[in-house]
Amino acid sequence: MQFGIFTVGDVTTDPTNGTTPTEAERIKAMVTIALKAEEVGLDVFAMGEHHNPPFVPSSPTTMLGYVAAKTDRLILSTSTTLITTNDPVKIAEDYAMLQHLADGRVDLMMGRGNTGPVYPWFGQDIRNGIALAIENYALVHRLWREDVVDWEGNFRTPLQGFTSTPRPLDGVPPFVWHGSIRSPEIAEQAAYYGDGFFANNIFWPKEHFARLIELYRTRFAYYGHGTPDQAIVGLGGQVFMRKNSQDAVREFRPYFDKAPVYGNGPSLEDFTEQTPLTVGSPQQVIDRTLTFRESFGDYQRQLFLMDHAGLPLKTVLEQLDILGEEVVPVLRKEFAARRKPGVAEAPTHAALVQKRDAALVAG
C-alpha cells in the first residue's frame, strides 16, 4: 500500500497573523514539502492542476519534473490532470516526457476539476464535461499504446498517421487513476479500462463514496480485469496532528474556519464527524484511517492533504515529520495484517513492466 500527500497549491492568508505568501514563496514551499515527503519515507507526492486564484499549480509537469531531479524514490503524481480542458495529445506527450525524466516514477489522475469557469477559458463548454472526459481519455489511451494513430472525434481536429512523442518509457504508459467526487460515469470509465479509481473523499460522507467505489469494483470485474477485490482504489484524506488532541483542535480551528475550500461552512466538529478530516493526536489519525478499510475494502493508495488553508511551511513540515515517523509505519503494518489474500498491489512502473512481460510470455 502506498502512502503520500497531495497539494491543491492554494495561496491563502495565514488567519493567525495576516501574512500571505507570494506566488513564488508558495511554489518553492511546495517543492520543499515534496522533498520532505521523500525524507520522511512517504511513497507519493501529488499535486492538482488549477488555473485560477488562489491556486498556483497551473503546470504540474513543470514542478514534478523539477522534483524528479531532486528525488530518488518518490512517486510523482497529479491529484488532478484536467482531461476536459487540456488537449489529449499534449497530455500524452507531456506525461510521457515526465515519465522518462523521472525514470518511471510517474502516474497521473484524470479529472474534470471543480472550477466551472475553466471550461470557457480553454474553449470548452461545461455541459460537455462528461463527454469530454470520455472522448479525450480514449484518445490519450490510444496515443500511449499505438505507434501510429488515425482518429476522429467531436471536440478536436482529426489525426491522420499521428505518432505521439516520446513513446512511453519501456513501452509501458504511466498508470492512470480516474478521480471523482460525484460522477458514476467516471467510475465506469476507470473500470472499463482497468485503471485505478481515486475517490477524493474529503468533502462528503463516506456512504456516498462507498457507492461509487462499489460501482467501480463491480464494473471492473464485469469488464474482465479481475475480481472486485483486485480493483485499484485510492482515497484522499485530511489530517492535522499534535501530541494532544486539544492542542491540535485549538491550533487548526482558525485555519479551518477561513480555508478557501471549506471555510465559512460547517463547524470544525460537524465537518470532522461527516468527512474523513481528522484533527487530533497521531493515534486518532491512525484509528480513523484504519476505518476506511471497513467502508471501502482493501485499497492501494492513501493520500493526505496537509499544506492548505494558510498553514505556515514550518507547521506543514512538522506535520510531515509526525506523519512519517508516528503514523504511516503503524498504518503500513496494520493494513498489511488485515489485507485479504489476492488483493492487487499498488501500481508502480516496475510492476507494470513485469506484468506486460509476463503477458507477452504467456501469450
Side-chain angles (χ1 to χ4, degrees):
M1 187 166 172
Q2 295 167 346
F3 294 90
I5 57 172
F6 72 98
T7 179
V8 296
D10 58 308
V11 177
T12 302
T13 300
D14 185 330
T16 67
N17 58 26
T19 60
T20 305
T22 65
E23 290 181 324
E25 289 169 340
R26 185 67 172 102
I27 290 168
K28 294 292 181 66
M30 291 164 65
V31 172
T32 300
I33 289 163
L35 302 185
K36 184 69 170 182
E38 176 161 282
E39 177 190 322
V40 301
L42 301 183
D43 303 303
V44 183
F45 172 78
M47 61 178 294
E49 178 186 346
H50 300 275
H51 299 276
N52 58 292
F55 307 102
V56 293
S58 59
S59 181
T61 52
T62 303
M63 175 168 285
L64 294 179
Y66 184 79
V67 173
K70 293 180 170 291
T71 55
D72 299 308
R73 185 187 54 80
L74 199 63
I75 296 172
L76 306 171
S77 184
T78 56
S79 48
T80 306
T81 294
L82 296 178
I83 188 62
T84 46
T85 51
N86 281 303
D87 183 80
V89 172
K90 198 71 168 69
I91 290 176
E93 294 191 332
D94 281 355
Y95 285 93
M97 175 71 82
L98 178 59
Q99 188 192 34
H100 282 272
L101 289 171
D103 297 321
R105 295 182 290 122
V106 170
D107 55 38
L108 65 161
M109 187 191 306
M110 302 295 186
R112 289 177 294 140
N114 57 10
T115 306
V118 73
Y119 286 83
W121 295 340
F122 290 90
Q124 300 294 349
D125 187 332
I126 193 172
R127 292 170 294 185
N128 297 325
I130 293 292
L132 280 161
I134 292 170
E135 180 177 296
N136 284 354
Y137 181 64
L139 178 53
V140 170
H141 193 269
R142 287 188 60 192
L143 290 169
W144 277 338
R145 290 165 175 82
E146 300 175 29
D147 288 339
V148 180
V149 173
D150 295 318
W151 179 90
E152 186 171 350
N154 297 316
F155 299 110
R156 76 174 315 279
T157 54
L159 298 174
Q160 295 181 343
F162 181 78
T163 298
S164 174
T165 58
R167 306 305 298 145
L169 178 66
D170 300 320
V172 174
F175 185 80
V176 170
W177 304 84
H178 298 262
S180 178
I181 62 172
R182 66 176 68 88
S183 303
E185 295 92 341
I186 302 304
E188 177 78 16
Q189 182 184 39
Y192 176 80
Y193 289 103
D195 293 337
F197 181 65
F198 194 93
N200 197 7
N201 57 327
I202 62 173
F203 293 119
W204 293 359
K206 63 180 181 295
E207 292 80 9
H208 167 78
F209 293 100
R211 289 191 293 269
L212 282 177
I213 290 171
E214 181 60 27
L215 170 64
Y216 161 67
R217 290 186 185 279
T218 300
R219 300 299 285 175
F220 181 94
Y222 171 83
Y223 288 116
H225 301 298
T227 68
D229 286 340
Q230 292 171 324
I232 311 296
V233 174
L235 297 176
Q238 297 166 279
V239 298
F240 187 87
M241 298 168 286
R242 289 301 182 200
K243 181 178 180 180
N244 298 312
S245 59
Q246 297 91 338
D247 292 338
V249 170
R250 182 170 54 253
E251 184 176 348
F252 187 66
R253 187 183 298 280
Y255 295 97
F256 174 89
D257 289 344
K258 297 297 182 182
V261 291
Y262 47 52
N264 302 304
S267 69
L268 176 59
E269 288 73 18
D270 287 344
F271 203 82
T272 53
E273 181 181 351
Q274 297 169 15
T275 77
L277 174 64
T278 306
V279 181
S281 68
Q283 188 61 52
Q284 286 175 303
V285 170
I286 292 168
D287 293 341
R288 185 80 179 280
T289 305
L290 289 173
T291 67
F292 294 174
R293 181 180 177 274
E294 300 169 8
S295 300
F296 309 118
D298 288 307
Y299 61 108
Q300 285 72 26
R301 179 174 288 184
Q302 174 67 58
L303 299 182
F304 296 103
L305 177 61
M306 308 288 289
D307 70 325
H308 59 125
L311 287 166
L313 178 59
K314 177 177 180 294
T315 300
V316 175
L317 299 180
E318 292 168 353
Q319 293 291 303
L320 291 177
D321 278 328
I322 299 170
L323 188 69
E325 295 170 8
E326 300 183 45
V327 174
V328 166
V330 178
L331 290 176
R332 288 192 198 282
K333 179 179 178 181
E334 291 296 328
F335 274 117
R338 303 174 192 203
R339 200 172 190 83
K340 292 193 296 188
V343 172
E345 296 296 321
T348 64
H349 180 72
L352 293 173
V353 170
Q354 185 178 36
K355 181 179 179 181
R356 188 274 314 273
D357 291 346
L360 291 175
V361 170

